[in-house]
Amino acid sequence: MASAIKINNEDGLRAIFRKILDREKIARWPCVFIKPNLGGRMPIIAGENNDYIFVKRLCDVLEDYGCNNIIIGHTSLLSFGGEVYSFEKLLELSQFSKLLSSKCITLLNLDDTKKFKKDFGDIKFEIPEMLYDCYYINLCKLKTHMETGVSLSLKNQMGLLANRKNKMDMHRLDLDYYIAGLAKFARPHLNIIDGTIAMEGNGPHHGKTKKTGLIVWGDDIVKTDSLATELMGLNHRNILHIKHAISLGIGESLS
């Protein structure tokens, strides 16, 4: 399943999230884990990174639905231009530290969590164990990428990997293939692509922001990314990591 909707302003976010979230499915899990799209690169650009308000509204609805254990996780060690940003710095730059005003929300440094080691090709992925214990929401941005064409739900999962060598090896060996391979072991229950402010051109940092008002979501990570790619005016069949993911049986293509 994959769907899309267009909203005019932030006031409509609560209603959209009530439409997107399946209250009964979420209630079966002891916690909700959200993996947002964050970066330490300055300046912080709305089209590149998830906005604090967007995530806050999502958490508000989760709390309305009775979720009292919401974990927002990301890794540190994000190096751009030789600079390394700590997890704490990342939260400060994104304003996510404000989310701690809710007793239901935990901000988790994935560097410090226990990992499962999963072999795929020449890489041994280190996946946070808690990913399998929670209802997993993969939250990303709608943007282009100079190396992979697009950076959506599939690519966003690279931020789960605390082992920097995993990420370096992915780039060194075959980035698109290993983005798809990672999704064999990291399977979100729900993918949400925030395109309220998107990015086009030479993304993920040097492109141009574009206000689209689009939100794309789905439980099939491949179909969700395929739909988002088409809405961006691109052919999803030309995006290599989407093609690999289809071949690996991770999800379905658009009909």
Side-chain angles (χ1 to χ4, degrees), residues 6 62 73 77 115 127 134-136 158 165-166 168 182 187 200 206 211 215 222 235:
K6 191 167 186 175
L62 286 169
L77 302 176
K115 314 291 191 306
I127 312 292
C134 301
Y135 184 90
Y136 169 27
M158 288 181 68
K165 188 177 184 302
N166 277 174
M168 293 169 65
L182 177 57
R187 295 290 186 103
E200 62 182 1
H206 301 291
K211 187 173 182 178
I215 298 176
V222 176
N235 187 337

Side-chain angles (χ1 to χ4, degrees), residues 53-121:
I53 294 297
F54 191 92
V55 179
K56 178 67 167 62
R57 296 293 177 266
L58 172 60
C59 291
D60 287 344
V61 174
L62 286 169
E63 289 187 44
D64 290 345
Y65 282 2
C67 300
N68 56 17
N69 187 10
I70 302 169
I71 303 168
I72 300 175
H74 210 287
T75 54
S76 58
L77 302 176
L78 298 179
S79 177
F80 301 105
E83 293 182 276
V84 179
Y85 289 80
S86 68
F87 179 70
E88 291 73 23
K89 186 66 174 178
L90 198 62
L91 297 180
E92 176 190 338
L93 292 171
S94 64
Q95 300 186 61
F96 274 39
S97 52
K98 293 180 181 179
L99 294 167
L100 292 174
S101 61
S102 169
K103 295 180 180 179
C104 297
I105 297 175
T106 301
L107 301 179
L108 181 66
N109 185 346
L110 296 181
D111 295 342
D112 300 331
T113 62
K114 292 182 179 180
K115 314 291 191 306
F116 283 122
K117 293 185 177 181
K118 303 287 187 179
D119 289 307
F120 182 80

Side-chain angles (χ1 to χ4, degrees), residues 110-152:
L110 296 181
D111 295 342
D112 300 331
T113 62
K114 292 182 179 180
K115 314 291 191 306
F116 283 122
K117 293 185 177 181
K118 303 287 187 179
D119 289 307
F120 182 80
D122 294 324
I123 294 181
K124 190 182 292 290
F125 288 124
E126 296 191 15
I127 312 292
E129 288 185 12
M130 45 118 16
L131 201 67
Y132 302 96
D133 298 326
C134 301
Y135 184 90
Y136 169 27
I137 299 176
N138 182 13
L139 177 62
C140 65
K141 291 294 293 185
L142 184 73
K143 60 186 176 184
T144 50
H145 194 283
M146 58 186 179
E147 292 183 84
T148 59
V150 297
S151 179
L152 303 168

Side-chain angles (χ1 to χ4, degrees), residues 161-176:
L161 302 172
N163 186 343
R164 290 183 70 202
K165 188 177 184 302
N166 277 174
K167 299 172 187 176
M168 293 169 65
D169 285 345
M170 290 174 74
H171 281 273
R172 178 177 59 85
L173 294 168
D174 186 335
L175 182 56
D176 284 291

